[in-house]
Amino acid sequence: MFFKKVEENIELRGSKKDDAEPLLRSLPTHRTFDYVLVADKVDNEQKTLRQEAFIAQLKKKNIHITRITHDNKDFFGIRAPSEMFEVYQYLLKVSDSCNCCGDEKGAVTQATRIRIVHFILHHTYINTGENLEELLMKDVFETMFCLHERKQQKELRKKWARWTALFSRQPVNDIKSYFGEKVALYYLWLAWYTKLLVPAALLGVIVFLYGLAFFNTNPLIKEVCESNITMCPRCEKRCGTWQLSDSCTYAKVTHLFDNEGTVAFAMFMAIWATLFLELWKRHRAKHVSKWKVYDWCEEEEELIMELVNDPNCKAKQFRHSYLRSTLVLILVTLMLMLIIGLAHALVVFRVVAAPLMSESKWQFLKDNANLVSVFLGAVLHYITIQIMTRVNRWVSLKLCDIEKLNSLAATERSFTVKMFTFQFFTLFSSLFYVAFFLGRINGHPGNYVRLAGHRLEECHPSGCLTDLFIQMAVIMLLKQTLNNIVEFTVPWCKRLVNEKAAKKLERKCGHCYRKACREENGCIEPCDICKHREWLRNYHLASSDAFSLFNEFLEMVIQFSFTTIFVAAFPLAPLLALVNNIFEIRLDAIKMVRLEQRLVPKKTNDIGVWTKLLEAIGVLAVIANGLVIGITSDFIPRLVYRYHYGPCAKGKLDYTDCMEGYINDTLSTAYMNSSNFDAFINPWERHNFSVTECSYRDYRNENDYSLKSQFWMVLAVRFAFIILFEHVLVMCKFIAAWFVPDNPTQVKNERLQDKLTRLKHELREKKLSKSTDV
C-alpha cells in the first residue's frame, strides 16, 4: 500500500517540472504514455465544455492526464494506472478461454496496455451520452493515436521494414509483440500465401510457354492467317466486311491462353486452393499454440475489458429481430442489383463505343475498334471499382448499425462479409458477363439482339477467351500497381511535408541533457519538450484505424479470387500475384512501422471470417473454371470436332492434321444485299437479289438460320464436361481436406502437456496454501 501511495504522489507531482525527478529516477515505474488525444484550441464554449467533461470522466477512472499546448492545439497524454491492468490480469486468470495466454501473470506489455486503454477511451461517456467516437465526429477532439516505441521500432526497421530485407524471413514473433497477434497473423498468412504461389506461378508459366511453343505452327492459327474467308460486318451503318486473315495476331494471342494446358492448369489450381487453406490451418495452429492463444476468445476478452472499464457494467444481450434481418436482406439485394446494373452500363458502353470508334479518323482505332473498346471498358471498370469501394464501405457500415450486434468481434465479422460480397460483385460482374454471355446472346444475321439501338458484341472467330484475358489483365495490373503506388506515396509525402514541425522541436530539445530524454525503455519520464516532440512525431504520421488492416486483407483476398476463379483464362495470374506479394509484404511493413501511426494491437487466434470466405472462393473457383473451360473456351468444340466431325474421325488424314478445317466448320454463311451491307437477305430469297456471302461464328444452317445438330452435340458435351469436371474436383478437394488435418500432432501433444503442467501447478499451489493455513 505504501508503494502505491508513493506512486500516486509522483503522479500528482509529475506536472511540476523536475520536483519528482529524483524519485522518478529511483522507481522502476511505467512512464510511457498509452495514448494521446489531440484537440484544436477553439473559442466554442460547447466544445471546450465537452473536452473538459471527457477528461474529467477519464480522471474519475484514475487515468493520469498530461496536457501540453502547441500551435493552438492541445495534446493530452493518457496513462492508465497499474491497478487497472492488475484487474485485467486477474480476470484473464479466472476466465474460461483466455486463462492460459501468458498475459495473466508477469509484466503487462505496452501492446496490452494500448489495447485496454483504446477500449476504455471508446467506452467512456460524458453526461450528454456521447462517447469519444461521437466527439471526434463533432470535432471536439481532432484525432487520437497510440505511440510508437522507439527501441522496438528501430529493431523492426532493422530486421523487417526495409527494402533490402525483401527476401528475408519475417520476424513474426517481434511483429506479434509490437502490433499484436492480429497483424502478425496477417503477415504470417500473406507470407504463406506468397510461398505457395511459387509452384502455381511456375506451372502457369509452363502452360504459357506451351502455348508460345506452337505460336507459329499451330494448324488453327495457320487456318486463320492463311484464310480467304470474308466475314460479316461487326456493326451496322459504318462497318463493312472484313477478311478473317486480318485477325491473325488475335488468333495467336488466343491460342496462348486457350489450349489443352489451361485445362490441366485449372484443375491443378482448384486442388491447390484447397491444399493452401488446409496447410495454412496447420501453419497457423503451430504459431498460435506457441503464442498461447489457441483457445483465445475475442468476445470473452471484450467482456473482461468491459469489467475493467466499469465493474458495474451489464452484459450486452444477444438479440435477433426478424424485421431488422429482413430489412438488411432487402437492402443487400438492392445494393447487389445496383452493382449488377453498373456492370450492364459497362456493357452498353462497349456496345456503343465499338461502332463509334470504327468510323474514327485514326486508322488504328478504325481497324481495332473492338479491341480498343475492350481495353477502354476494362479501364472504366477499374474507375468504377475505385468509386464503388467507398460506397460499399459506407453501405456496409450502415447495415451493421441496423443489425445492432452485441460485440465488436461480431460486428467486424458481419461488416467483413458484407463488404467482401459487395466488392466481389463490383469486380466480377463485368467479368462474368464477358466469360459467359458475350457472343452468346447476340442473335444472328437478320435477327440481331440490340441494346441502346446497337447490336451486341460478338466473339472473335478464334473464341471469347481473349476478351476475358484482356479484362482480367487490365484490372489486375491497374489495381495492384496503382493501389500500391497510392498506398506508399500518400503517407510518405505526408511525413515528408509535416516532419519540419517535429525538427523545430528537436532543436529546442537540444539543450536538454537529462538521461530521461534519451531513455528508450519507457521507465523514466522525459521533459515536456522531449515528450511533446515524440507526440508530434507520431501525430504527423499518416493516420491508421480499424480499416487499415482490413483493407490489406480485402486486397489480398480479392487478389486470391482473381488468381483462382478465372485462372483458366489467365494462367499468368499466379505469377503476377507472386511478384506483387513479394513487394507488398515489405511495402506494408515499411508503411506500418515508419509511415503510419501505430496500429492498435489486437489479440486473436485466427484470421477470422476470412478463412470461410477463402473456402467459399475455393468452391466458386471449381465452378467458374469448369464453366470457363466448358463454355467460354473452345476446348470442347475442338474436342468434338477432332473425334466426331474432323478428318481423323472420318479416317482420312494423319493424327497431326486432325484439326484441319476446324475454323471453317465453326462458321456459318449469311447473305447481304450487295448495295446495302446492313440489309441481310433471308436464305430462301437470295436468288431475288444481288447478294454478297459472308461468314459469322455460329452453328446454323445456311438455308433457314436454324441451329445445326452439331450445335446440340457440342452443347451436350459442354454440360457433360462441366458436371464431370466439377464433381471430380469437388471430390478431390474433400479428399485433400480430409488427408491434411488442421492441427499437427505435435501441436496437439504440446497443448496437452501445457494443460497438464498448468493443472499440476494449480494443484501444488492448492496444497501449499493448505499447509500454510495449518
Side-chain angles (χ1 to χ4, degrees):
M1 284 297 294
F2 174 74
F3 181 77
K4 287 182 182 178
K5 286 179 180 177
V6 171
E7 212 172 75
E8 288 171 7
N9 289 334
I10 292 170
E11 292 281 353
L12 292 170
R13 293 168 59 193
S15 59
K16 296 180 181 179
K17 229 171 181 181
D18 291 333
D19 293 349
E21 189 173 340
L23 281 172
L24 280 167
R25 290 177 184 274
S26 61
L27 289 174
T29 183
H30 189 87
R31 286 292 172 249
T32 300
F33 285 87
D34 304 312
Y35 244 96
V36 176
L37 283 174
V38 183
D40 290 312
K41 288 186 72 69
V42 291
D43 297 330
N44 190 317
E45 186 179 352
Q46 289 294 325
K47 287 186 178 180
T48 304
L49 289 173
R50 283 190 172 113
Q51 282 179 19
E52 293 174 354
F54 188 78
I55 298 301
Q57 289 296 324
L58 294 179
K59 287 180 178 178
K60 284 181 182 179
K61 298 177 181 180
N62 295 324
I63 293 176
H64 175 70
I65 309 289
T66 296
R67 180 173 180 170
I68 298 175
T69 302
H70 172 75
D71 284 347
N72 293 321
K73 291 185 186 292
D74 286 328
F75 289 78
F76 300 92
I78 296 169
R79 183 189 298 130
S82 57
E83 291 84 357
M84 190 175 283
F85 305 107
E86 289 171 6
V87 173
Y88 173 80
Q89 286 182 312
Y90 173 75
L91 292 173
L92 278 184
K93 188 175 180 180
V94 299
S95 68
D96 294 329
S97 303
C98 307
N99 55 10
C100 57
C101 65
D103 285 352
E104 75 278 5
K105 54 189 175 183
V108 179
T109 63
Q110 184 64 15
T112 302
R113 292 178 65 94
I114 290 170
R115 184 169 67 255
I116 296 169
V117 172
H118 174 82
F119 183 90
I120 290 169
L121 288 174
H122 279 83
H123 290 78
T124 297
Y125 297 84
I126 59 177
N127 51 9
T128 59
E130 295 167 304
N131 62 5
L132 182 58
E133 188 176 348
E134 293 170 301
L135 295 177
L136 286 166
M137 289 174 63
K138 295 175 181 177
D139 294 327
V140 175
F141 291 100
E142 180 195 338
T143 187
M144 59 182 291
F145 55 87
C146 49
L147 298 169
H148 280 289
E149 298 170 77
R150 296 297 291 271
K151 186 177 180 180
Q152 287 84 344
Q153 190 182 23
K154 285 179 182 176
E155 285 295 316
L156 284 174
R157 288 176 68 171
K158 183 180 177 181
K159 292 181 182 177
W160 181 50
R162 55 189 176 89
W163 289 114
T164 51
L166 200 62
F167 297 101
S168 303
R169 294 187 67 178
Q170 298 190 89
V172 286
N173 291 325
D174 294 336
I175 298 169
K176 186 267 297 184
S177 301
Y178 192 74
F179 287 113
E181 284 81 356
K182 195 166 191 175
V183 173
L185 280 169
Y186 163 72
Y187 283 105
L188 192 69
W189 176 83
L190 183 55
W192 187 252
Y193 170 44
T194 304
K195 184 178 179 180
L196 288 195
L197 273 174
V198 174
L202 286 174
L203 192 57
V205 171
I206 292 171
V207 170
F208 176 77
L209 293 176
Y210 170 79
L212 198 62
F214 301 98
F215 197 69
N216 294 316
T217 60
N218 186 274
L220 299 183
I221 295 176
K222 279 188 174 183
E223 189 173 348
V224 172
C225 296
E226 297 172 3
S227 171
N228 58 359
I229 297 174
T230 301
M231 301 298 294
C232 296
R234 293 186 176 117
C235 61
E236 296 172 335
K237 296 180 182 178
R238 310 172 189 87
C239 303
T241 57
W242 54 285
Q243 294 299 309
L244 180 60
S245 57
D246 294 342
S247 62
C248 179
T249 304
Y250 196 98
K252 290 179 179 179
V253 173
T254 299
H255 181 70
L256 288 177
F257 304 101
D258 189 2
N259 55 63
E260 293 77 7
T262 56
V263 179
F265 185 58
M267 296 178 71
F268 166 81
M269 287 302 295
I271 298 170
W272 174 89
T274 300
L275 287 174
F276 159 70
L277 284 173
E278 295 305 318
L279 292 172
W280 155 247
K281 291 173 185 176
R282 291 171 62 83
H283 191 57
R284 176 203 68 89
K286 291 178 183 177
H287 283 82
V288 297
S289 178
K290 189 189 299 181
W291 297 338
K292 308 296 183 186
V293 290
Y294 191 93
D295 296 315
W296 185 265
C297 177
E298 291 180 65
E299 281 88 353
E300 192 164 331
E301 193 207 18
E302 193 175 324
L303 198 60
I304 289 170
M305 290 194 288
E306 287 273 12
L307 283 167
V308 171
N309 180 50
D310 180 12
N312 300 316
C313 70
K314 294 181 180 179
K316 292 180 181 178
Q317 300 295 314
F318 288 95
R319 292 177 296 179
H320 182 266
S321 168
Y322 287 104
L323 179 62
R324 280 200 299 270
S325 299
T326 304
L327 179 60
V328 168
L329 187 61
I330 291 171
L331 292 174
V332 167
T333 305
L334 291 174
M335 187 65 186
L336 294 179
M337 289 173 65
L338 171 64
I339 293 169
I340 294 171
L342 288 173
H344 288 165
L346 291 173
V347 173
V348 173
F349 167 81
R350 287 175 53 167
V351 168
V352 174
L356 288 177
M357 281 186 285
S358 65
E359 64 173 6
S360 172
K361 296 177 181 178
W362 291 307
Q363 192 63 34
F364 176 80
L365 281 181
K366 194 172 183 180
D367 295 341
N368 301 279
N370 282 352
L371 195 61
V372 174
S373 69
V374 170
F375 271 107
L376 287 178
V379 173
L380 189 61
H381 187 199
Y382 172 77
I383 295 170
T384 306
I385 290 167
Q386 298 306 308
I387 296 170
M388 286 304 297
T389 297
R390 289 165 175 77
V391 176
N392 292 341
R393 177 179 295 180
W394 183 83
V395 172
S396 299
L397 286 170
K398 292 300 178 185
L399 291 174
C400 289
D401 290 340
I402 294 172
E403 285 181 312
K404 294 182 179 178
L405 299 169
N406 75 311
S407 69
L408 292 172
T411 304
E412 185 179 346
R413 286 194 295 269
S414 178
F415 172 80
T416 300
V417 172
K418 291 178 179 61
M419 182 66 183
F420 174 78
T421 303
F422 293 151
Q423 283 295 94
F424 184 86
F425 272 80
T426 302
L427 270 84
F428 285 90
S429 293
S430 181
L431 293 177
F432 273 97
Y433 165 76
V434 173
F436 306 126
F437 297 100
L438 177 64
R440 291 170 181 80
I441 55 173
N442 56 312
H444 60 81
N447 188 26
Y448 282 117
V449 176
R450 300 176 186 279
L451 188 64
H454 297 276
R455 279 168 43 185
L456 290 180
E457 301 167 280
E458 297 179 13
C459 286
H460 186 270
S462 299
C464 297
L465 210 62
T466 301
D467 295 277
L468 181 59
F469 152 68
I470 291 171
Q471 192 89 351
M472 279 190 65
V474 171
I475 294 172
M476 199 170 178
L477 285 170
L478 280 177
K479 185 171 173 54
Q480 291 187 162
T481 307
L482 294 183
N483 281 10
N484 285 343
I485 291 171
V486 171
E487 278 181 26
F488 185 77
T489 53
V490 170
W492 182 77
C493 291
K494 183 176 180 181
R495 189 190 71 165
L496 206 63
V497 170
N498 294 332
E499 65 183 0
K500 292 180 181 178
K503 284 184 178 179
K504 287 180 182 177
L505 282 179
E506 279 186 34
R507 288 194 289 272
K508 284 185 181 180
C509 202
H511 300 292
C512 176
Y513 297 103
R514 296 172 72 240
K515 290 182 179 178
C517 293
R518 297 186 294 275
E519 205 274 332
E520 295 181 337
N521 291 321
C523 296
I524 303 174
E525 186 152 357
C527 67
D528 281 354
I529 293 178
C530 294
K531 218 183 307 184
H532 189 225
R533 179 183 64 185
E534 186 65 17
W535 296 356
L536 205 62
R537 186 180 71 87
N538 284 267
Y539 170 73
H540 284 144
L541 296 173
S543 60
S544 63
D545 53 26
F547 290 115
S548 299
L549 188 63
F550 172 84
N551 292 337
E552 302 300 339
F553 254 123
L554 181 63
E555 181 185 349
M556 287 297 103
V557 174
I558 290 293
Q559 185 207 83
F560 181 81
S561 304
F562 272 107
T563 307
T564 53
I565 289 179
F566 288 122
V567 74
F570 192 22
L572 293 179
L575 178 64
L576 292 181
L578 174 64
V579 173
N580 174 80
N581 290 1
I582 290 171
F583 290 95
E584 179 81 23
I585 291 172
R586 297 304 155 187
L587 188 148
D588 289 347
I590 292 169
K591 191 173 61 175
M592 284 187 184
V593 175
R594 303 167 65 174
L595 303 178
E596 288 184 343
Q597 293 168 357
R598 186 175 181 177
L599 281 172
V600 177
K602 295 289 182 69
K603 203 178 226 15
T604 186
N605 63 355
D606 199 359
I607 59 173
V609 74
W610 292 113
T611 304
K612 300 294 182 185
L613 292 174
L614 289 168
E615 289 175 348
I617 292 168
V619 174
L620 187 59
V622 173
I623 299 170
N625 281 302
L627 291 171
V628 167
I629 296 167
I631 294 176
T632 312
S633 80
D634 272 7
F635 174 73
I636 298 301
R638 289 198 299 263
L639 204 66
V640 172
Y641 182 79
R642 178 187 292 272
Y643 295 108
H644 199 270
Y645 294 101
C648 290
K650 299 172 184 177
K652 292 183 180 179
L653 297 173
D654 296 335
Y655 184 79
T656 53
D657 298 317
C658 285
M659 297 306 295
E660 185 178 324
Y662 168 74
I663 296 295
N664 192 50
D665 185 68
T666 60
L667 301 176
S668 298
T669 303
Y671 302 94
M672 302 178 298
N673 192 320
S674 299
S675 58
N676 181 11
F677 283 174
D678 290 335
F680 285 93
I681 307 301
N682 291 322
W684 55 88
E685 297 177 340
R686 66 181 183 272
H687 302 295
N688 302 328
F689 298 90
S690 175
V691 296
T692 300
E693 289 188 8
C694 66
S695 299
Y696 63 98
R697 182 183 169 87
D698 208 344
Y699 293 108
R700 290 185 180 274
N701 290 304
E702 62 179 63
N703 295 324
D704 56 2
Y705 291 141
S706 62
L707 293 168
K708 295 180 182 178
S709 59
Q710 188 175 352
F711 170 84
W712 301 109
M713 169 69 78
V714 170
L715 185 65
V717 177
R718 285 184 193 274
F719 285 136
F721 171 82
I722 291 168
I723 293 169
L724 183 64
F725 180 89
E726 292 179 359
H727 278 71
V728 169
L729 282 187
V730 168
M731 188 183 300
C732 291
K733 284 171 71 69
F734 279 125
I735 292 172
W738 166 80
F739 188 75
V740 182
D742 293 352
N743 296 327
T745 307
Q746 181 185 352
V747 171
K748 291 179 181 178
N749 291 332
E750 286 175 356
R751 292 187 63 239
L752 188 64
Q753 187 61 41
D754 285 345
K755 287 181 180 180
L756 182 62
T757 304
R758 188 163 52 86
L759 290 172
K760 285 181 177 179
H761 177 71
E762 293 290 338
L763 186 60
R764 281 196 300 269
E765 283 193 348
K766 181 71 174 176
K767 289 180 179 179
L768 186 63
S769 62
K770 278 187 177 182
S771 62
T772 305
D773 292 340
V774 173

